[in-house]
Amino acid sequence: MKIQTDERKPGVFVVSLAGDLDMSSSPQVRNILLPIFRKKVSHIVVDLTDVPYIDSSGIATFVEALQLSRKDKVRFSLAGACRRVESIFDLAYLKNIFEMAPDVNQLIDGEQGR
Amino acid sequence: MAFVSFKGPVILDVPADPPAMFIVRELVGRISSRIGFEDEATDKLVLAVDEACTNVIRHAYKNSNDKRIVITFTLSMDCFEIMIRDFGTGADPSTFQGRDLKQIRPGGLGIHFIKSAVDKIEYDTPPGGGMLLKMTKFMPRQEKAQN
């Protein structure tokens, strides 16, 4: 799994993932994603454009991030999920729980940052 | 693309190691598509087998990655059968329960994904220890497999 973190605007972080998000890669994503909530952050977007597959451990990582975002009042969104990944969120009854958009720019354009 | 059928089981023996699970996913996906399941059913089947193997690694083998998982695929006119055999610490299948999906919390989705993908789930405790999970998916009626 390739993971890239980029602060696009002050307080707006984009975490881009590439590869399958499964039991072997989820701990790596978790270790990078969750500490971002401890920074001066207003919005975290995970870019899933290059993620062809996600399993329950990947979903669990995002649920954990969502819980943190609610506690810390940080906006947390997912972008670019392919049909297959989106259908797995749907199967878990989580598609409407997460803020999801077709691409990152749609989520952060016009956002001022912190 | 013409759908295929094959005689006799296909047996995949893989290390119970998370990085090796892509091999299982690739094979399940390829077989499922080639025998005639639609993309959505194939995706669910791939997820189900992956989750079942993940459960084996996590619970039966306690994340010890020097063990093996043996997966047997059998195709008949009516159904596609996938058996997942481990040699770990057996467990009581009645305790295998997913979480209430109304609760938003991490974990507990694997069993739900498995149940969503297949028509029948059976557990057995074979001689020699471990568990055998048998998942059966009926073939789509309008798409009979052809040679």
Side-chain angles (χ1 to χ4, degrees), chain B residues 11-79:
Chain B
I11 300 170
L12 176 67
D13 185 336
V14 284
D17 196 13
M21 289 304 109
F22 85 93
I23 301 166
V24 177
R25 295 197 293 267
E26 292 290 328
L27 185 63
V28 174
R30 289 285 288 161
I31 296 177
S32 179
S33 298
R34 292 303 307 274
I35 63 177
F37 288 115
E38 302 276 358
D39 289 351
E40 193 188 335
T42 292
D43 289 348
K44 283 184 174 181
L45 210 49
V46 169
L47 182 63
V49 178
D50 192 29
E51 295 289 346
C53 291
T54 298
N55 284 343
V56 167
I57 295 170
R58 199 172 278 155
H59 302 297
Y61 289 149
K62 317 279 186 228
N63 296 307
S64 161
N65 58 14
D66 58 343
K67 306 287 197 304
R68 311 290 300 182
I69 302 174
V70 179
I71 308 171
T72 305
F73 304 94
T74 310
L75 179 66
S76 69
M77 286 296 285
D78 305 320
C79 65

Side-chain angles (χ1 to χ4, degrees), chain A residues 14-56:
Chain A
V14 176
V15 180
S16 305
L17 309 179
D20 286 352
L21 187 45
D22 60 7
M23 192 194 185
S24 86
S25 57
S26 290
Q28 198 188 342
V29 173
R30 187 181 181 277
N31 288 342
I32 289 175
L33 179 61
L34 300 190
I36 300 174
F37 285 90
R38 292 201 290 267
K39 298 183 180 191
K40 283 187 176 172
V41 57
S42 59
H43 188 185
I44 300 172
V45 182
V46 178
D47 187 357
L48 298 171
T49 306
D50 295 318
V51 174
Y53 177 79
I54 187 169
D55 73 358
S56 65

